[in-house]
Amino acid sequence: MQPAFLTRPWLDAVREEFERYLADKISGMTGVSAELHQAMQYALLGGGKRLRACLMFAVGDAVGTAPAALMDAASAMEAMHAYSLVHDDLPCMDNDVLRRGKPTCHVKFGEATALLAGDALQTTAFQWVLESSLLADSIRLQQAAILAAAAGAQGMANGQAIDLTHVGRPMTLDQLKHMHARKTGDLILAAVRMASASRSGLSSQMQSGLEDYAKTLGLAYQVIDDILDVESTSEQLGKTSGKDALSNKPTMVSLMGLSEAKQLLANLRSTALKACERCGVDERHPMAILVDLITDRKS
Amino acid sequence: MQPAFLTRPWLDAVREEFERYLADKISGMTGVSAELHQAMQYALLGGGKRLRACLMFAVGDAVGTAPAALMDAASAMEAMHAYSLVHDDLPCMDNDVLRRGKPTCHVKFGEATALLAGDALQTTAFQWVLESSLLADSIRLQQAAILAAAAGAQGMANGQAIDLTHVGRPMTLDQLKHMHARKTGDLILAAVRMASASRSGLSSQMQSGLEDYAKTLGLAYQVIDDILDVESTSEQLGKTSGKDALSNKPTMVSLMGLSEAKQLLANLRSTALKACERCGVDERHPMAILVDLITDRKS
């Protein structure tokens, strides 16, 4: 299957279309109490980069699935991500007050409503995949299972738990990588897998290329996050910067050093671009453009 | 389809088998950090009555599905219920310290781990339905969608949100019933629907009988809860009693009066038993026995 060779404007257009789709989807939910509904919309529509959704559309394109067919699955992915941020920001977790340049959900709506909004966003994620009419039953079942495995006690939630366990305790580089693979990597991998699950019969080269692409990007995402935490202001990030250093949390930068972390990032970029080649897409394809967007991001 | 006419010992045996199944299932999860895993097990295996699971087995029997085929779906249902209790007990919600006669999850493991355990139990619920090998793909997809719709922003989480909105504010009886229908009724209804989804081609009499049975039991469950809150001690209940009156929360008893609430409960019991008849089961069937277990319960 020959993927379309598309450039950055395609990605921007798809993201804009998705943003409208997502806004309509969440605002169109009926039978939700006003306060809960507002908190869910605030958390979900707060101006995120939609990295995970864009990954799904880019990979979808590479395997021959149009963005329109992946709108619900991408909405689910972003709802799952939004839930994790709301709960991660709560006072008993990171106790953060700033997210995407705005007050965090619990600062705006109170802790109880933020807790519920996070809870409900997780459920909504599953609802959206499971109730979608855009893809066949068997594909949605697979996508929902991928999402559950990535978000749960063996994935994202486990990453958070590992993080908690190590507060104030040293961590090796391997332990740190393992924590991030669970905390952020698994959901990024799930985005790629959910998109590729929309097509059956992919070649083993394509499949392994997609897995490497996703895992490499997941790690790169964290490395750049840790670099930004050191090099950027809160204003640039839209969230509190320098927190990790202040709280003495181990990061890729603190364990490797800044220049080594930057070198690692460059290596990961090149590995991810090679994985794109194995997926049969060149450097103009959205999958490759996303590699640059992630490794060059400023916030 | 002629359901087996079985009695109380059948229900007890199935519940015991389920309890073992559930304990094996949660303890057998690999790749979960020790602290998170312990908190999840503590919350899930804390000696609950397994009412929702038993409802699934009883309804399964009535439609011709053996308990063995519903073990994963029932495990999912209990995981979903357990998550809701853990989060409901958190300091920012009900701030409760006692559950099933033991310290609540956050008292035992701290707030952050309890939050994560609740989050992960919700995800686990979906994982267990979606990954089950006990039922056909199409049935599991349906069951997961039923579970999501019942637990989310239009169901259980919405009930919690309505509850929050009305703290310290009066409520009409209709509003109270609506809140309980979301908070507890929807999950009970989902238990019945997930079990009946295991069979296709049910008669419309059976289908409407099952819906009435579930809705009636859901309300009865809350009425007896409110009666027990007035009439029992914390020791009898295994959770803090008299809390609603203390916090000036509207209950079925405070809005109707105690004797009227008891009369309503008697009426609901008789409605539920009539619904059993419409489902083709008599008073010796587990479905009918559960009506008595719920309306006569002491804790």
Side-chain angles (χ1 to χ4, degrees), chain B residues 71-102:
Chain B
M71 285 286 159
D72 289 333
S75 299
M77 175 55 68
E78 290 294 332
M80 188 64 84
H81 178 54
Y83 127 69
S84 76
L85 298 182
V86 171
H87 281 193
D88 199 25
D89 287 336
L90 283 173
C92 71
M93 299 292 289
D94 282 358
N95 194 19
D96 225 322
V97 296
L98 202 60
R99 167 75 63 187
R100 295 169 178 168
K102 299 190 303 179

PDB file of all heavy atoms in Angstrom, chain B residues 71-102:
ATOM      1  N   MET B  71     -17.459 -15.215  34.338  1.00  0.00           N
ATOM      2  CA  MET B  71     -16.495 -14.903  35.399  1.00  0.00           C
ATOM      3  C   MET B  71     -15.708 -13.616  35.114  1.00  0.00           C
ATOM      4  O   MET B  71     -15.524 -12.788  36.005  1.00  0.00           O
ATOM      5  CB  MET B  71     -15.522 -16.079  35.601  1.00  0.00           C
ATOM      6  CG  MET B  71     -16.130 -17.268  36.321  1.00  0.00           C
ATOM      7  SD  MET B  71     -16.349 -16.952  38.112  1.00  0.00           S
ATOM      8  CE  MET B  71     -17.618 -18.169  38.531  1.00  0.00           C
ATOM      9  N   ASP B  72     -15.258 -13.439  33.876  1.00  0.00           N
ATOM     10  CA  ASP B  72     -14.475 -12.238  33.570  1.00  0.00           C
ATOM     11  C   ASP B  72     -15.342 -10.987  33.589  1.00  0.00           C
ATOM     12  O   ASP B  72     -14.925  -9.935  34.096  1.00  0.00           O
ATOM     13  CB  ASP B  72     -13.788 -12.378  32.198  1.00  0.00           C
ATOM     14  CG  ASP B  72     -12.661 -13.388  32.229  1.00  0.00           C
ATOM     15  OD1 ASP B  72     -12.080 -13.600  33.311  1.00  0.00           O
ATOM     16  OD2 ASP B  72     -12.361 -13.969  31.167  1.00  0.00           O
ATOM     17  N   ALA B  73     -16.525 -11.088  33.035  1.00  0.00           N
ATOM     18  CA  ALA B  73     -17.431  -9.934  33.023  1.00  0.00           C
ATOM     19  C   ALA B  73     -17.803  -9.539  34.446  1.00  0.00           C
ATOM     20  O   ALA B  73     -17.871  -8.350  34.784  1.00  0.00           O
ATOM     21  CB  ALA B  73     -18.681 -10.253  32.206  1.00  0.00           C
ATOM     22  N   ALA B  74     -18.044 -10.541  35.294  1.00  0.00           N
ATOM     23  CA  ALA B  74     -18.388 -10.257  36.694  1.00  0.00           C
ATOM     24  C   ALA B  74     -17.183  -9.673  37.438  1.00  0.00           C
ATOM     25  O   ALA B  74     -17.329  -8.774  38.273  1.00  0.00           O
ATOM     26  CB  ALA B  74     -18.890 -11.522  37.382  1.00  0.00           C
ATOM     27  N   SER B  75     -15.982 -10.159  37.112  1.00  0.00           N
ATOM     28  CA  SER B  75     -14.769  -9.589  37.712  1.00  0.00           C
ATOM     29  C   SER B  75     -14.638  -8.118  37.326  1.00  0.00           C
ATOM     30  O   SER B  75     -14.285  -7.262  38.150  1.00  0.00           O
ATOM     31  CB  SER B  75     -13.528 -10.345  37.222  1.00  0.00           C
ATOM     32  OG  SER B  75     -13.593 -11.707  37.594  1.00  0.00           O
ATOM     33  N   ALA B  76     -14.923  -7.834  36.071  1.00  0.00           N
ATOM     34  CA  ALA B  76     -14.869  -6.457  35.579  1.00  0.00           C
ATOM     35  C   ALA B  76     -15.860  -5.586  36.333  1.00  0.00           C
ATOM     36  O   ALA B  76     -15.547  -4.474  36.760  1.00  0.00           O
ATOM     37  CB  ALA B  76     -15.169  -6.427  34.085  1.00  0.00           C
ATOM     38  N   MET B  77     -17.054  -6.097  36.498  1.00  0.00           N
ATOM     39  CA  MET B  77     -18.089  -5.343  37.206  1.00  0.00           C
ATOM     40  C   MET B  77     -17.660  -5.038  38.645  1.00  0.00           C
ATOM     41  O   MET B  77     -17.813  -3.914  39.129  1.00  0.00           O
ATOM     42  CB  MET B  77     -19.381  -6.177  37.187  1.00  0.00           C
ATOM     43  CG  MET B  77     -20.542  -5.632  37.968  1.00  0.00           C
ATOM     44  SD  MET B  77     -21.033  -3.936  37.534  1.00  0.00           S
ATOM     45  CE  MET B  77     -21.675  -4.172  35.877  1.00  0.00           C
ATOM     46  N   GLU B  78     -17.095  -6.006  39.317  1.00  0.00           N
ATOM     47  CA  GLU B  78     -16.660  -5.788  40.703  1.00  0.00           C
ATOM     48  C   GLU B  78     -15.448  -4.836  40.754  1.00  0.00           C
ATOM     49  O   GLU B  78     -15.316  -4.063  41.705  1.00  0.00           O
ATOM     50  CB  GLU B  78     -16.349  -7.119  41.388  1.00  0.00           C
ATOM     51  CG  GLU B  78     -17.607  -7.975  41.653  1.00  0.00           C
ATOM     52  CD  GLU B  78     -18.571  -7.348  42.675  1.00  0.00           C
ATOM     53  OE1 GLU B  78     -18.121  -6.596  43.558  1.00  0.00           O
ATOM     54  OE2 GLU B  78     -19.790  -7.618  42.587  1.00  0.00           O
ATOM     55  N   ALA B  79     -14.592  -4.894  39.746  1.00  0.00           N
ATOM     56  CA  ALA B  79     -13.458  -3.954  39.702  1.00  0.00           C
ATOM     57  C   ALA B  79     -13.972  -2.528  39.518  1.00  0.00           C
ATOM     58  O   ALA B  79     -13.477  -1.581  40.149  1.00  0.00           O
ATOM     59  CB  ALA B  79     -12.499  -4.332  38.573  1.00  0.00           C
ATOM     60  N   MET B  80     -14.961  -2.371  38.667  1.00  0.00           N
ATOM     61  CA  MET B  80     -15.548  -1.044  38.444  1.00  0.00           C
ATOM     62  C   MET B  80     -16.186  -0.527  39.736  1.00  0.00           C
ATOM     63  O   MET B  80     -16.035   0.645  40.105  1.00  0.00           O
ATOM     64  CB  MET B  80     -16.585  -1.132  37.314  1.00  0.00           C
ATOM     65  CG  MET B  80     -17.130   0.202  36.860  1.00  0.00           C
ATOM     66  SD  MET B  80     -15.864   1.278  36.105  1.00  0.00           S
ATOM     67  CE  MET B  80     -15.860   0.671  34.413  1.00  0.00           C
ATOM     68  N   HIS B  81     -16.915  -1.393  40.402  1.00  0.00           N
ATOM     69  CA  HIS B  81     -17.551  -1.021  41.668  1.00  0.00           C
ATOM     70  C   HIS B  81     -16.494  -0.653  42.712  1.00  0.00           C
ATOM     71  O   HIS B  81     -16.622   0.368  43.410  1.00  0.00           O
ATOM     72  CB  HIS B  81     -18.422  -2.187  42.140  1.00  0.00           C
ATOM     73  CG  HIS B  81     -19.095  -1.960  43.449  1.00  0.00           C
ATOM     74  ND1 HIS B  81     -19.877  -0.853  43.701  1.00  0.00           N
ATOM     75  CD2 HIS B  81     -19.105  -2.690  44.589  1.00  0.00           C
ATOM     76  CE1 HIS B  81     -20.340  -0.908  44.946  1.00  0.00           C
ATOM     77  NE2 HIS B  81     -19.882  -2.017  45.502  1.00  0.00           N
ATOM     78  N   ALA B  82     -15.449  -1.457  42.795  1.00  0.00           N
ATOM     79  CA  ALA B  82     -14.392  -1.208  43.787  1.00  0.00           C
ATOM     80  C   ALA B  82     -13.704   0.134  43.526  1.00  0.00           C
ATOM     81  O   ALA B  82     -13.437   0.899  44.460  1.00  0.00           O
ATOM     82  CB  ALA B  82     -13.363  -2.345  43.762  1.00  0.00           C
ATOM     83  N   TYR B  83     -13.435   0.426  42.251  1.00  0.00           N
ATOM     84  CA  TYR B  83     -12.833   1.731  41.921  1.00  0.00           C
ATOM     85  C   TYR B  83     -13.710   2.862  42.436  1.00  0.00           C
ATOM     86  O   TYR B  83     -13.226   3.835  43.020  1.00  0.00           O
ATOM     87  CB  TYR B  83     -12.593   1.861  40.405  1.00  0.00           C
ATOM     88  CG  TYR B  83     -13.186   3.085  39.762  1.00  0.00           C
ATOM     89  CD1 TYR B  83     -12.680   4.372  40.028  1.00  0.00           C
ATOM     90  CD2 TYR B  83     -14.268   2.993  38.883  1.00  0.00           C
ATOM     91  CE1 TYR B  83     -13.241   5.506  39.447  1.00  0.00           C
ATOM     92  CE2 TYR B  83     -14.834   4.115  38.302  1.00  0.00           C
ATOM     93  CZ  TYR B  83     -14.324   5.371  38.589  1.00  0.00           C
ATOM     94  OH  TYR B  83     -14.889   6.495  38.038  1.00  0.00           O
ATOM     95  N   SER B  84     -15.026   2.738  42.223  1.00  0.00           N
ATOM     96  CA  SER B  84     -15.927   3.831  42.612  1.00  0.00           C
ATOM     97  C   SER B  84     -15.929   4.027  44.127  1.00  0.00           C
ATOM     98  O   SER B  84     -16.007   5.157  44.613  1.00  0.00           O
ATOM     99  CB  SER B  84     -17.343   3.579  42.081  1.00  0.00           C
ATOM    100  OG  SER B  84     -18.005   2.595  42.850  1.00  0.00           O
ATOM    101  N   LEU B  85     -15.806   2.944  44.870  1.00  0.00           N
ATOM    102  CA  LEU B  85     -15.773   3.056  46.340  1.00  0.00           C
ATOM    103  C   LEU B  85     -14.481   3.727  46.802  1.00  0.00           C
ATOM    104  O   LEU B  85     -14.505   4.593  47.682  1.00  0.00           O
ATOM    105  CB  LEU B  85     -15.910   1.667  46.988  1.00  0.00           C
ATOM    106  CG  LEU B  85     -17.205   0.908  46.703  1.00  0.00           C
ATOM    107  CD1 LEU B  85     -17.212  -0.423  47.440  1.00  0.00           C
ATOM    108  CD2 LEU B  85     -18.439   1.720  47.067  1.00  0.00           C
ATOM    109  N   VAL B  86     -13.360   3.329  46.205  1.00  0.00           N
ATOM    110  CA  VAL B  86     -12.068   3.909  46.599  1.00  0.00           C
ATOM    111  C   VAL B  86     -12.075   5.426  46.380  1.00  0.00           C
ATOM    112  O   VAL B  86     -11.698   6.201  47.264  1.00  0.00           O
ATOM    113  CB  VAL B  86     -10.909   3.269  45.809  1.00  0.00           C
ATOM    114  CG1 VAL B  86      -9.602   4.016  46.065  1.00  0.00           C
ATOM    115  CG2 VAL B  86     -10.752   1.798  46.172  1.00  0.00           C
ATOM    116  N   HIS B  87     -12.530   5.850  45.219  1.00  0.00           N
ATOM    117  CA  HIS B  87     -12.550   7.288  44.934  1.00  0.00           C
ATOM    118  C   HIS B  87     -13.617   8.013  45.752  1.00  0.00           C
ATOM    119  O   HIS B  87     -13.419   9.145  46.193  1.00  0.00           O
ATOM    120  CB  HIS B  87     -12.739   7.531  43.434  1.00  0.00           C
ATOM    121  CG  HIS B  87     -11.483   7.349  42.635  1.00  0.00           C
ATOM    122  ND1 HIS B  87     -11.333   7.745  41.334  1.00  0.00           N
ATOM    123  CD2 HIS B  87     -10.285   6.809  42.993  1.00  0.00           C
ATOM    124  CE1 HIS B  87     -10.106   7.465  40.908  1.00  0.00           C
ATOM    125  NE2 HIS B  87      -9.465   6.874  41.897  1.00  0.00           N
ATOM    126  N   ASP B  88     -14.729   7.364  45.978  1.00  0.00           N
ATOM    127  CA  ASP B  88     -15.811   7.967  46.761  1.00  0.00           C
ATOM    128  C   ASP B  88     -15.375   8.207  48.208  1.00  0.00           C
ATOM    129  O   ASP B  88     -15.828   9.155  48.854  1.00  0.00           O
ATOM    130  CB  ASP B  88     -17.019   7.019  46.732  1.00  0.00           C
ATOM    131  CG  ASP B  88     -18.310   7.730  47.112  1.00  0.00           C
ATOM    132  OD1 ASP B  88     -18.377   8.962  46.933  1.00  0.00           O
ATOM    133  OD2 ASP B  88     -19.228   7.050  47.602  1.00  0.00           O
ATOM    134  N   ASP B  89     -14.503   7.362  48.709  1.00  0.00           N
ATOM    135  CA  ASP B  89     -14.049   7.484  50.106  1.00  0.00           C
ATOM    136  C   ASP B  89     -12.954   8.534  50.288  1.00  0.00           C
ATOM    137  O   ASP B  89     -12.631   8.895  51.424  1.00  0.00           O
ATOM    138  CB  ASP B  89     -13.495   6.128  50.599  1.00  0.00           C
ATOM    139  CG  ASP B  89     -14.614   5.115  50.850  1.00  0.00           C
ATOM    140  OD1 ASP B  89     -15.758   5.540  51.083  1.00  0.00           O
ATOM    141  OD2 ASP B  89     -14.323   3.902  50.823  1.00  0.00           O
ATOM    142  N   LEU B  90     -12.353   9.003  49.196  1.00  0.00           N
ATOM    143  CA  LEU B  90     -11.207   9.927  49.294  1.00  0.00           C
ATOM    144  C   LEU B  90     -11.566  11.203  50.080  1.00  0.00           C
ATOM    145  O   LEU B  90     -12.728  11.615  50.092  1.00  0.00           O
ATOM    146  CB  LEU B  90     -10.714  10.305  47.885  1.00  0.00           C
ATOM    147  CG  LEU B  90      -9.872   9.254  47.153  1.00  0.00           C
ATOM    148  CD1 LEU B  90      -9.601   9.694  45.712  1.00  0.00           C
ATOM    149  CD2 LEU B  90      -8.559   8.993  47.864  1.00  0.00           C
ATOM    150  N   PRO B  91     -10.571  11.808  50.702  1.00  0.00           N
ATOM    151  CA  PRO B  91     -10.814  13.023  51.496  1.00  0.00           C
ATOM    152  C   PRO B  91     -11.592  14.118  50.755  1.00  0.00           C
ATOM    153  O   PRO B  91     -12.455  14.761  51.352  1.00  0.00           O
ATOM    154  CB  PRO B  91      -9.394  13.494  51.835  1.00  0.00           C
ATOM    155  CG  PRO B  91      -8.597  12.240  51.874  1.00  0.00           C
ATOM    156  CD  PRO B  91      -9.175  11.355  50.821  1.00  0.00           C
ATOM    157  N   CYS B  92     -11.313  14.299  49.465  1.00  0.00           N
ATOM    158  CA  CYS B  92     -12.016  15.377  48.742  1.00  0.00           C
ATOM    159  C   CYS B  92     -13.448  14.999  48.395  1.00  0.00           C
ATOM    160  O   CYS B  92     -14.228  15.846  47.976  1.00  0.00           O
ATOM    161  CB  CYS B  92     -11.247  15.778  47.483  1.00  0.00           C
ATOM    162  SG  CYS B  92     -11.266  14.566  46.165  1.00  0.00           S
ATOM    163  N   MET B  93     -13.811  13.716  48.562  1.00  0.00           N
ATOM    164  CA  MET B  93     -15.194  13.288  48.323  1.00  0.00           C
ATOM    165  C   MET B  93     -15.877  13.076  49.679  1.00  0.00           C
ATOM    166  O   MET B  93     -16.097  14.022  50.399  1.00  0.00           O
ATOM    167  CB  MET B  93     -15.224  12.003  47.473  1.00  0.00           C
ATOM    168  CG  MET B  93     -14.596  12.142  46.104  1.00  0.00           C
ATOM    169  SD  MET B  93     -15.526  13.245  44.962  1.00  0.00           S
ATOM    170  CE  MET B  93     -16.973  12.226  44.633  1.00  0.00           C
ATOM    171  N   ASP B  94     -16.177  11.820  50.035  1.00  0.00           N
ATOM    172  CA  ASP B  94     -16.881  11.570  51.301  1.00  0.00           C
ATOM    173  C   ASP B  94     -15.950  11.571  52.516  1.00  0.00           C
ATOM    174  O   ASP B  94     -16.426  11.572  53.648  1.00  0.00           O
ATOM    175  CB  ASP B  94     -17.631  10.232  51.245  1.00  0.00           C
ATOM    176  CG  ASP B  94     -18.917  10.353  50.451  1.00  0.00           C
ATOM    177  OD1 ASP B  94     -19.209  11.481  49.996  1.00  0.00           O
ATOM    178  OD2 ASP B  94     -19.613   9.339  50.285  1.00  0.00           O
ATOM    179  N   ASN B  95     -14.663  11.526  52.269  1.00  0.00           N
ATOM    180  CA  ASN B  95     -13.681  11.515  53.355  1.00  0.00           C
ATOM    181  C   ASN B  95     -14.017  10.461  54.405  1.00  0.00           C
ATOM    182  O   ASN B  95     -14.150  10.757  55.591  1.00  0.00           O
ATOM    183  CB  ASN B  95     -13.597  12.903  54.009  1.00  0.00           C
ATOM    184  CG  ASN B  95     -12.373  13.038  54.906  1.00  0.00           C
ATOM    185  OD1 ASN B  95     -11.425  12.267  54.787  1.00  0.00           O
ATOM    186  ND2 ASN B  95     -12.402  14.003  55.802  1.00  0.00           N
ATOM    187  N   ASP B  96     -14.178   9.240  53.938  1.00  0.00           N
ATOM    188  CA  ASP B  96     -14.590   8.166  54.843  1.00  0.00           C
ATOM    189  C   ASP B  96     -13.380   7.317  55.235  1.00  0.00           C
ATOM    190  O   ASP B  96     -12.463   7.132  54.444  1.00  0.00           O
ATOM    191  CB  ASP B  96     -15.667   7.303  54.179  1.00  0.00           C
ATOM    192  CG  ASP B  96     -16.799   7.030  55.152  1.00  0.00           C
ATOM    193  OD1 ASP B  96     -16.513   6.823  56.346  1.00  0.00           O
ATOM    194  OD2 ASP B  96     -17.964   7.035  54.728  1.00  0.00           O
ATOM    195  N   VAL B  97     -13.390   6.843  56.479  1.00  0.00           N
ATOM    196  CA  VAL B  97     -12.231   6.105  56.975  1.00  0.00           C
ATOM    197  C   VAL B  97     -12.489   4.609  57.124  1.00  0.00           C
ATOM    198  O   VAL B  97     -11.568   3.826  57.335  1.00  0.00           O
ATOM    199  CB  VAL B  97     -11.752   6.662  58.343  1.00  0.00           C
ATOM    200  CG1 VAL B  97     -11.263   8.108  58.177  1.00  0.00           C
ATOM    201  CG2 VAL B  97     -12.863   6.594  59.377  1.00  0.00           C
ATOM    202  N   LEU B  98     -13.764   4.235  57.003  1.00  0.00           N
ATOM    203  CA  LEU B  98     -14.141   2.848  57.261  1.00  0.00           C
ATOM    204  C   LEU B  98     -14.944   2.296  56.080  1.00  0.00           C
ATOM    205  O   LEU B  98     -15.880   2.926  55.585  1.00  0.00           O
ATOM    206  CB  LEU B  98     -15.001   2.805  58.526  1.00  0.00           C
ATOM    207  CG  LEU B  98     -15.097   1.496  59.301  1.00  0.00           C
ATOM    208  CD1 LEU B  98     -13.732   1.028  59.790  1.00  0.00           C
ATOM    209  CD2 LEU B  98     -16.047   1.679  60.498  1.00  0.00           C
ATOM    210  N   ARG B  99     -14.573   1.112  55.612  1.00  0.00           N
ATOM    211  CA  ARG B  99     -15.274   0.475  54.490  1.00  0.00           C
ATOM    212  C   ARG B  99     -15.181  -1.022  54.688  1.00  0.00           C
ATOM    213  O   ARG B  99     -14.098  -1.555  54.857  1.00  0.00           O
ATOM    214  CB  ARG B  99     -14.619   0.921  53.174  1.00  0.00           C
ATOM    215  CG  ARG B  99     -14.986   0.176  51.935  1.00  0.00           C
ATOM    216  CD  ARG B  99     -16.343   0.495  51.379  1.00  0.00           C
ATOM    217  NE  ARG B  99     -16.495   1.884  50.946  1.00  0.00           N
ATOM    218  CZ  ARG B  99     -17.673   2.394  50.542  1.00  0.00           C
ATOM    219  NH1 ARG B  99     -18.764   1.636  50.530  1.00  0.00           N
ATOM    220  NH2 ARG B  99     -17.758   3.656  50.177  1.00  0.00           N
ATOM    221  N   ARG B 100     -16.317  -1.696  54.665  1.00  0.00           N
ATOM    222  CA  ARG B 100     -16.338  -3.147  54.875  1.00  0.00           C
ATOM    223  C   ARG B 100     -15.606  -3.532  56.167  1.00  0.00           C
ATOM    224  O   ARG B 100     -14.877  -4.524  56.221  1.00  0.00           O
ATOM    225  CB  ARG B 100     -15.726  -3.886  53.677  1.00  0.00           C
ATOM    226  CG  ARG B 100     -16.528  -3.721  52.397  1.00  0.00           C
ATOM    227  CD  ARG B 100     -15.772  -4.219  51.166  1.00  0.00           C
ATOM    228  NE  ARG B 100     -16.574  -4.088  49.939  1.00  0.00           N
ATOM    229  CZ  ARG B 100     -16.107  -4.216  48.711  1.00  0.00           C
ATOM    230  NH1 ARG B 100     -14.844  -4.493  48.519  1.00  0.00           N
ATOM    231  NH2 ARG B 100     -16.889  -4.076  47.668  1.00  0.00           N
ATOM    232  N   GLY B 101     -15.775  -2.659  57.178  1.00  0.00           N
ATOM    233  CA  GLY B 101     -15.193  -2.950  58.489  1.00  0.00           C
ATOM    234  C   GLY B 101     -13.694  -2.746  58.586  1.00  0.00           C
ATOM    235  O   GLY B 101     -13.081  -3.097  59.596  1.00  0.00           O
ATOM    236  N   LYS B 102     -13.083  -2.195  57.550  1.00  0.00           N
ATOM    237  CA  LYS B 102     -11.630  -1.998  57.545  1.00  0.00           C
ATOM    238  C   LYS B 102     -11.304  -0.553  57.153  1.00  0.00           C
ATOM    239  O   LYS B 102     -12.158   0.135  56.586  1.00  0.00           O
ATOM    240  CB  LYS B 102     -10.973  -2.958  56.536  1.00  0.00           C
ATOM    241  CG  LYS B 102     -11.206  -4.427  56.861  1.00  0.00           C
ATOM    242  CD  LYS B 102     -10.334  -5.329  55.991  1.00  0.00           C
ATOM    243  CE  LYS B 102     -10.579  -5.082  54.517  1.00  0.00           C
ATOM    244  NZ  LYS B 102      -9.724  -5.940  53.659  1.00  0.00           N
TER     245      LYS B 102
END
